[in-house]
Amino acid sequence: MTQGLVPEGERLCIGVLCHPTYGGSGVVATELALSLARKGHEVHVFSHEVPPRLARSSGPVEMHVARGFPYPLFTSTPHDLAVTSKVLEIHRLRGLDLLHAHYALPHAVSAFLAREASRRYREHAPPRVVTTLHGTDITLVGNDPAYAPLTEHALRASDAVTAVSEDLARRTRESFDVEAEACPIEVIPNFVDCELFHPGAGAPAERPTLVHVSNFRPVKRVPWLVRAFALAAEGRDAQLLLVGDGPDQAECRRVAAEGGVADKVVFLGERDALPGLLAPASAFCLTSREESFGLSALEAMACGTPVLATRVGGVSEVVEDGVSGLLCDADDLEGYARVLRRALSEPELVDGMGQAARTRASEHFSFDRVLPRYEELYRRVLAEAR
Ligand code: GMT
């Protein structure tokens, strides 16, 4: 076993497994894959669809879309098996040094299975497995009794595990027996492209504007945000832009109508042009019940837009209360409405916090700061196997 790192100049062959959604884990996986490829590594992305951020990029990664096929015996099509099988096929041809699984389920399991299955190939050493935990893969899905034993096994069997915040690492240790293992959970925060997400993007807003971006799942509590906005916007010229789509969208429309703000809440649906929507806003709103990090909040901060959020999970590791945004208890609807009112009526406060937000994003979470931490981890994990 070698101590230290695989040399910096060595070109690595990396497989990235991720969900092809607008959600943050797919964004982080895609941006990481693209930057590694731009640095000269051979990068293969595996998923059952092309992740949206990759679809609109001309970056030099190889995308492998692997889908199962419907068969009457299956209640649902097992795309995960097709993805795992594709990883094996590419490994045999190209010799993947490392598999980076984003979101524990099913990807850490797929990567583990691919690594074990590849042991019988003689052409290449089995790939090492790095798993990155993103949030609900631990807090809502992975720790559910339906999956917990397999999640725990996949974490223990990974050659390294990272979490996107200290809070998520702590919750993983609380939920699973992983601390005894040789590979402790390393915290590597999410990152943002501060050139793409920058202040001044987009046309100036015509009225005081709040913005929210998510997949409208119940954990995001977007109807709660609309309720607070209805309290805050009464008698004011203001609008709430809702970007994204998902199961709670219809409920949001109902709450907006009930609260008398249907004409002040704009449903934009899924959009790619985020900087132009985030930068002109007075503030970004995030009212989740659980949030391991809040990548969309970080993207807003990089645009110089302060964040008004509930104090949950790892959010306070990203947004400093009173400096780059304002935080509020998750069950305090009136308190959150007061925070919204301040953002809508105190432009100096918004400007100051917006500048602080941009500084925090670029000094702590820029691409250039975080990417080398993943590369160093890869080289360490590979050196351990040699
Ligand atoms: O759980 C989700 O909302 C999906 C997941 C994803 O795929 O985007 O989001 C999690 O990962 C993001 C990227 O690391 C984090 O920024 C989000 O905070 C996290 N979501 C939650 O913890 C609710």
Side-chain angles (χ1 to χ4, degrees):
M1 202 181 267
T2 313
Q3 291 297 310
L5 304 179
V6 159
E8 264 215 41
E10 187 175 323
R11 184 176 192 245
L12 305 178
C13 186
I14 301 161
V16 174
L17 288 78
C18 67
H19 288 291
T21 59
Y22 277 90
S25 65
V27 171
V28 169
T30 303
E31 299 288 2
L32 184 58
L34 285 165
S35 349
L36 290 164
R38 285 189 201 109
K39 286 194 79 177
H41 299 295
E42 178 176 329
V43 182
H44 299 262
V45 176
F46 299 91
S47 196
H48 60 271
E49 274 172 39
V50 184
R53 286 255 170 133
L54 188 55
R56 65 166 210 258
S57 157
S58 55
V61 303
E62 289 190 36
M63 177 70 222
H64 304 279
V65 173
R67 289 201 190 101
F69 56 90
Y71 185 69
L73 195 63
F74 299 146
T75 48
S76 63
T77 303
H79 297 303
D80 316 334
L81 297 183
V83 167
T84 311
S85 199
K86 180 58 82 175
V87 171
L88 277 174
E89 179 191 323
I90 298 302
H91 175 62
R92 199 164 196 183
L93 289 170
R94 303 294 309 157
L96 293 161
D97 294 305
L98 185 136
L99 296 173
H100 192 163
H102 286 267
Y103 207 86
L105 294 179
H107 298 127
V109 178
S110 292
F112 161 73
L113 189 57
R115 183 187 68 195
E116 295 312 304
S118 72
R119 291 196 192 282
R120 73 189 176 82
Y121 298 160
R122 303 206 173 267
E123 305 92 317
H124 306 288
R128 303 285 277 167
V129 172
V130 172
T131 296
T132 288
L133 306 175
H134 283 273
T136 50
D137 47 351
I138 294 300
T139 58
L140 294 182
V141 183
N143 67 354
D144 187 277
Y147 300 116
L150 185 59
T151 310
E152 183 169 284
H153 182 76
L155 298 186
R156 292 177 69 116
S158 298
D159 298 301
V161 177
T162 77
V164 298
S165 64
E166 295 288 351
D167 185 73
L168 181 59
R170 179 184 59 75
R171 293 196 56 180
T172 308
R173 286 185 212 109
E174 279 170 10
S175 301
F176 299 104
D177 178 18
V178 286
E179 204 52 320
E181 287 302 284
C183 67
I185 301 168
E186 181 166 340
V187 175
I188 303 186
N190 286 333
F191 50 84
V192 61
D193 181 342
C194 288
E195 285 179 20
L196 180 63
F197 290 86
H198 63 90
E206 283 171 9
R207 48 212 284 227
T209 297
L210 302 173
V211 64
H212 168 82
V213 181
S214 81
N215 44 27
F216 285 63
R217 281 180 297 135
V219 69
K220 299 287 178 182
R221 298 198 316 166
V222 197
W224 194 88
L225 165 60
V226 177
R227 215 162 279 137
F229 176 73
L231 296 177
E234 208 182 332
R236 269 174 222 279
D237 182 28
Q239 65 175 345
L240 173 63
L241 296 186
L242 295 178
V243 183
D245 205 345
D248 273 355
Q249 213 209 54
E251 171 73 355
C252 290
R253 287 184 192 276
R254 200 187 58 70
V255 172
E258 208 178 79
V261 287
D263 56 339
K264 294 181 177 175
V265 180
V266 183
F267 292 85
L268 290 174
E270 285 176 352
R271 296 298 177 100
D272 286 331
L274 292 178
L277 293 169
L278 295 171
S282 304
F284 180 88
C285 302
L286 187 67
T287 53
S288 309
R289 169 164 56 87
E290 301 262 357
E291 198 67 63
S292 69
F293 185 92
L295 181 64
S296 50
L298 176 62
E299 291 179 337
M301 288 166 69
C303 290
T305 302
V307 175
L308 313 175
T310 43
R311 196 181 290 106
V312 295
V315 169
S316 55
E317 294 171 43
V318 183
V319 183
E320 311 132 283
D321 191 12
V323 181
S324 43
L326 298 170
L327 303 183
C328 177
D329 287 346
D331 54 6
D332 186 1
L333 186 72
E334 282 286 346
Y336 191 73
R338 276 196 297 279
V339 160
L340 297 186
R341 262 182 232 120
R342 289 191 71 190
L344 290 169
S345 59
E346 296 181 40
E348 280 159 24
L349 174 78
V350 164
D351 282 356
M353 290 193 310
Q355 282 170 29
R358 169 72 189 180
T359 304
R360 180 151 177 82
S362 52
E363 286 184 357
H364 294 269
F365 302 104
S366 76
F367 226 42
D368 304 344
R369 287 189 184 267
V370 180
L371 181 71
R373 296 194 52 193
Y374 277 114
E375 261 193 296
E376 188 187 315
L377 174 68
Y378 293 171
R379 295 187 188 286
R380 192 177 349 121
V381 161
L382 286 167
E384 282 165 8
R386 292 188 180 167

